[in-house]
Amino acid sequence: MPRQARIDPELFDRFATAANLSRDPAAVRARVEGMERVLERLVVIPGINRPIGLDVLLDFVPVAGDVVAALLGGWIVWEARNLGMSRFQIARMMGNVGLDFALGLIPFVGAIPDFFFRSNTRNLRIIKRHLDKHHPAGAVVTG
């Protein structure tokens, strides 16, 4: 008889705690901010002091790179849905990701519009406004 796999709930809880997979608004905010940082502001281009992230770098891989970038941007939208954001906000965020995906599909020059249209930063701004309005205890004051 084959051995049945069983996930130990305590092990899962420890993993979720270590990976910060909590559903509370502060944890969601930290995860989304981290993903936005990786996708949009990973490194700074010397000389012009303009940050680029994985989103722009993935544009140099034809089609597959754009799909991966759209999936990562979609994860941010999924986190926003789990926060209970309105359908209008979710649709707006999906539109940002879709436009970013469509611009990235342009051969050879797809990275240029992606360099200026930062859909993940726009989506992070929408999420922050929602969190600051509906969960003010987790608001972060930036100076």
Side-chain angles (χ1 to χ4, degrees), residues 3 15 17 27-28 40 44 51 56 58 88 91 95 97 106 117 121 127 134 139-140:
R3 189 172 155 215
F15 173 75
T17 303
V28 171
E40 303 291 358
V44 176
V56 173
L58 285 171
F88 175 75
V97 172
I106 302 169
F117 181 76
T121 302
I127 291 172
H134 297 284
V140 176

Side-chain angles (χ1 to χ4, degrees), residues 3-74:
R3 189 172 155 215
Q4 292 206 359
R6 187 176 84 77
I7 297 175
D8 181 25
E10 291 178 21
L11 178 67
F12 182 77
D13 289 340
R14 283 192 312 215
F15 173 75
T17 303
N20 198 16
L21 294 178
S22 174
R23 288 188 181 241
D24 72 287
V28 171
R29 179 186 209 120
R31 283 195 306 266
V32 170
E33 285 176 348
M35 180 62 79
E36 185 270 341
R37 190 176 311 109
V38 167
L39 289 173
E40 303 291 358
R41 298 178 284 123
L42 191 60
V43 295
V44 176
I45 298 175
I48 62 171
N49 291 331
R50 179 88 175 172
I52 65 167
L54 195 59
D55 197 10
V56 173
L57 298 175
L58 285 171
D59 277 335
F60 293 109
V61 179
V63 182
D66 298 314
V67 170
V68 170
L71 289 173
L72 292 172

